[in-house]
Amino acid sequence: MSDVVEVKVVTGKARYVDARTETLYIDGKEAMSAYPLCECPEDAILERDLLGPSDFASLLKSFLKEHKGKKVKFVYEDEPEEEEE
């Protein structure tokens, strides 16, 4: 087991609009993601799982418990762009 936790933020682009998406990974596992509602407006009507401060606080609390005493490495990268046909 590693004594370093990797926290990675991957930034991408939404498929149909010029908007940004972000996905947070902790040690390679997706922890949360955010996408624009305009990509799929039905999600807004169906009470899409929007992220807010309480979600972040909960994630941080469990992160600190699980990885107590470990060093944290932060990585930021862009998603590879898809080739248009």
Side-chain angles (χ1 to χ4, degrees):
M1 182 175 260
S2 175
D3 61 343
V4 176
V5 179
E6 182 180 86
V7 176
K8 182 189 292 187
V9 176
V10 178
T11 302
K13 185 176 176 188
R15 276 182 259 155
Y16 306 110
V17 293
D18 189 22
R20 193 171 79 180
T21 64
E22 289 186 343
T23 306
L24 175 72
Y25 297 92
I26 299 175
D27 277 343
K29 295 179 186 170
E30 185 176 329
M32 69 171 50
S33 59
Y35 297 88
L37 287 177
C38 58
E39 186 170 294
C40 190
E42 305 85 47
D43 288 349
I45 296 165
L46 299 172
E47 297 182 28
R48 181 181 175 141
D49 184 20
L50 297 175
L51 305 173
S54 61
D55 297 308
F56 178 76
S58 176
L59 175 66
L60 183 58
K61 183 178 179 181
S62 62
F63 176 87
L64 292 172
K65 248 188 218 179
E66 185 177 338
H67 302 293
K68 187 176 184 175
K70 293 183 179 180
K71 294 179 182 180
V72 179
K73 175 183 175 185
F74 291 93
V75 178
Y76 299 88
E77 62 184 45
D78 291 329
E79 223 175 47
E81 291 192 27
E82 294 182 15
E83 292 182 23
E84 293 184 28
E85 294 179 18

